[in-house]
Amino acid sequence: MEDERRNTERVRVDLEVRWEGILTILKGQIVDLSTTGCFILTDDKVSVGELIRLEIQQPKEGAICLWAEVIYQMTEIGFGVRFTGADESEMKRLEWLVKAELHRARRADGGRAGTPGDSPVSDNA
């Protein structure tokens, strides 16, 4: 994972997320987000390869609903997912959210936020 190249810009965030697995509905915090995936901070267990439905809670604009595949898990820390599907309007909302968060983060730290390769999310997430 460390030597993988990152293709999409990602940004550190603090967003609540709810996900539905086969038999459960759980919650966590998204701490890293891109248009292709995210890292969810939680001590709940998932299985690599599991398909889940995510509801990303935006501060004012309501939830973004996406399908995702768990691509790796870090025991008692969280897991990374790759987004696998959503309708076009949800993908546009996700793109807008990532752009807005990148803009906010760059203003806050002088332009260094969103650098590929500086987060726990793999290239596929």
Side-chain angles (χ1 to χ4, degrees), residues 15 18 35-36 41 54 56 63-64 71 74 88 91 107-108 110 114 122:
L15 299 169
R18 187 177 89 148
T35 57
T36 59
L41 194 61
L54 295 177
I56 301 171
I64 298 173
I71 56 170
M74 299 174 75
E88 188 175 334
M91 290 307 295
R107 280 194 340 245
S122 84

Side-chain angles (χ1 to χ4, degrees), residues 4-12 32-39 71 81-83 91 94-95 98-99 102 106 113-125:
E4 291 179 352
R5 305 280 308 166
R6 305 279 163 88
N7 294 328
T8 58
E9 284 190 299
R10 51 197 78 252
V11 64
R12 293 186 193 285
D32 186 272
L33 179 67
S34 78
T35 57
T36 59
C38 67
F39 185 82
I71 56 170
V81 301
R82 174 182 44 238
F83 300 136
M91 290 307 295
L94 175 64
E95 289 170 13
V98 171
K99 285 179 185 177
L102 280 167
R106 285 180 178 143
T115 305
D118 64 355
S119 72
V121 178
S122 84
D123 192 30
N124 296 325

Side-chain angles (χ1 to χ4, degrees), residues 2 4-5 13 18 48 52 55 74 83 85 92 103-104 106 113 115:
E2 292 175 353
E4 291 179 352
R5 305 280 308 166
V13 295
R18 187 177 89 148
V48 172
I52 59 177
E55 291 181 9
M74 299 174 75
F83 300 136
K92 293 285 185 195
H103 181 72
R104 180 195 56 75
R106 285 180 178 143
T115 305

